[in-house]
């Protein structure tokens, strides 16, 4: 049985399990691309663990916050 790998960003304290499962402080889990689209692209602080394009992955329009309010 393999252990869960857990990374914690020293900048925003978000937890990332097994390389791409992001545990946000509230709401459903997400991906590194969603984290980048909503947080990391704006933070730009040394130590952020989610800045490398190869790690972030392919960001899609649904990763960004929607301006549609229902």
């Amino acid at each position: 049985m393999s252990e869960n790998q857990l990374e914690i960003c020293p900048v925003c304290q978000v937890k990332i399990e097994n390389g791409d499962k992001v545990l946000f402080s509230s709401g459903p889990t997400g991906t590194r691309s969603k984290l980048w689209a909503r947080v990391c692209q704006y933070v730009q602080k040394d130590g952020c663990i989610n800045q490398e394009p190869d790690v972030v992955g392919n960001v899609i329009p649904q990763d960004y916050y929607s301006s549609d309010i229902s």
Side-chain angles (χ1 to χ4, degrees):
M1 183 174 11
S2 64
E3 292 182 32
N4 285 343
Q5 180 186 18
L6 181 67
E7 295 178 83
I8 300 173
C9 180
V11 175
C12 68
Q13 302 302 307
V14 72
K15 295 176 183 170
I16 303 172
E17 283 186 344
N18 300 323
D20 195 47
K21 182 180 178 183
V22 176
L23 306 172
F24 291 105
S25 59
S26 64
T29 59
T31 61
R32 281 185 180 259
S33 61
K34 186 174 278 190
L35 176 63
W36 184 87
R38 297 183 179 194
V39 180
C40 303
Q41 70 169 321
Y42 303 109
V43 174
Q44 299 294 314
K45 288 187 179 179
D46 289 340
C48 177
I49 63 173
N50 200 43
Q51 292 292 330
E52 296 295 323
D54 291 345
V55 174
V56 171
N58 194 23
V59 179
I60 59 174
Q62 292 81 8
D63 288 334
Y64 297 93
Y65 283 114
S66 174
S67 61
D68 296 335
I69 299 175
S70 302

